[in-house]
Amino acid sequence: MPETTNDATKTPVDFWFDPLCPWAWMTSRWMLEVEKVRPVEVRWHVMSLAVLNEPRLDEMPEQYRELMKTAWGPVRVCIAAEQKHGSEVLGALYTALGTRFHNQGLEKDHDTIVAALEEAGLPADLAAFAQSDAYDAELRASHQEGIDKVGQDVGTPVIAVPGADGEQIAFFGPVVTPAPKGEAAANLWDGTLLVASIPGFYEIKRTRTVGPIFD
C-alpha cells in the first residue's frame, strides 16, 4: 500500500529531463508512480540533448543533427518558464509537453507548445522563447549541474538523491518500458537506490528489444 507522510519528511529527488527524450519521459512517469508509494518528492530540472550532443554533432548522422535542431525549442520554453514562474511549474509543463509529444505523437511545433503551456496554467507567450537564446546561459547551467553530479558519459534523465553521507548519489536512468506502476514501481525504486549506493558500482545494462511503450 502507498506510504503516507507529510512533505517535511519526504526525500527530495532531483530529476533532470529534456522533454524531447522518450526514454526520459518513461522514467519520469515511473517517478510519479514512485511518489505515490514511497516518501519522495520529485524536483524537476532541465537538461538539454542539444547541449549534451554539441561536441559530437559532426560525427552524427544528418537525421540526428536535424533532430538536435528541433531539441532546442521545447527545452528553451521550459527554462524560460522556470526563470519567470519558478521551478515548481516545471512538473506540470513537462507532463503537458510530454503527453503531446510522446503519447499523442503531435508535432513539436508552436501550436503544440502553446497548448501545453495553457494546460499547465502558464502564459502562451512563453512559446516565443523556443526561438530565443535569452535563457541559454541558465539552460546550460542547469544542464551542467546535472551532468556534474553523474559524469559525461550519460544522457537524459539524470536522477540525484541524498546519500548516507549527505552527498547526493546521481545516476542515469533507469531506462524502462512501460513505466512500472504500484508495487512494481516501488520495487524498481528500492533496487535502483540499492545498487546506486554501492561504492564503485557503475552500470547494469542489456540490449533494448522494444521501444518506449506509452500508456
Side-chain angles (χ1 to χ4, degrees):
M1 294 184 61
E3 297 183 17
T4 58
T5 186
N6 58 55
D7 290 344
T9 60
K10 290 182 178 179
T11 299
V13 178
D14 291 294
F15 189 110
W16 279 263
F17 69 92
D18 184 315
L20 204 70
C21 179
W23 292 106
W25 175 247
M26 300 303 301
T27 308
S28 73
R29 299 311 91 182
W30 163 67
M31 277 307 314
L32 292 183
E33 286 292 315
V34 174
E35 280 192 317
K36 300 175 185 177
V37 293
R38 289 292 182 267
V40 303
E41 181 177 18
V42 181
R43 303 187 298 200
W44 304 98
H45 309 271
V46 294
M47 63 184 297
S48 169
L49 288 171
V51 172
L52 183 72
N53 287 298
E54 276 181 329
R56 300 184 286 272
L57 276 180
D58 291 342
E59 306 165 9
M60 293 178 173
E62 179 63 25
Q63 182 179 6
Y64 201 81
R65 289 201 296 271
E66 289 302 313
L67 178 63
M68 289 302 96
K69 293 178 184 178
T70 305
W72 281 105
V75 78
R76 278 173 164 168
V77 171
C78 287
I79 196 69
E82 180 185 35
Q83 293 299 307
K84 288 179 169 291
H85 300 279
S87 59
E88 62 273 10
V89 306
L90 282 178
L93 179 56
Y94 182 25
T95 289
L97 286 169
T99 299
R100 287 166 172 77
F101 291 168
H102 305 300
N103 295 69
Q104 298 174 10
L106 299 180
E107 294 295 327
K108 301 168 182 65
D109 59 14
H110 178 82
D111 290 345
T112 301
I113 291 173
V114 166
L117 286 164
E118 291 176 344
E119 180 183 316
L122 291 165
D125 59 11
L126 284 171
F129 285 95
Q131 306 301 323
S132 170
D133 63 0
Y135 293 110
D136 278 10
E138 290 81 0
L139 171 59
R140 290 177 182 277
S142 180
H143 173 91
Q144 194 61 46
E145 182 184 10
I147 289 297
D148 284 346
K149 293 179 183 298
V150 74
Q152 294 291 331
D153 301 323
V154 301
T156 173
V158 169
I159 297 176
V161 297
D165 60 358
E167 294 292 323
Q168 281 193 314
I169 299 169
F171 51 88
F172 160 69
V175 175
V176 63
T177 188
K181 295 179 172 58
E183 195 59 26
N187 290 339
L188 178 57
W189 177 248
D190 295 342
T192 300
L193 289 187
L194 177 62
V195 297
S197 69
I198 303 301
F201 173 82
Y202 293 105
E203 186 172 352
I204 288 177
K205 192 170 185 178
R206 62 177 177 170
T207 299
R208 294 195 300 265
T209 58
V210 296
I213 299 171
F214 308 119
D215 53 16

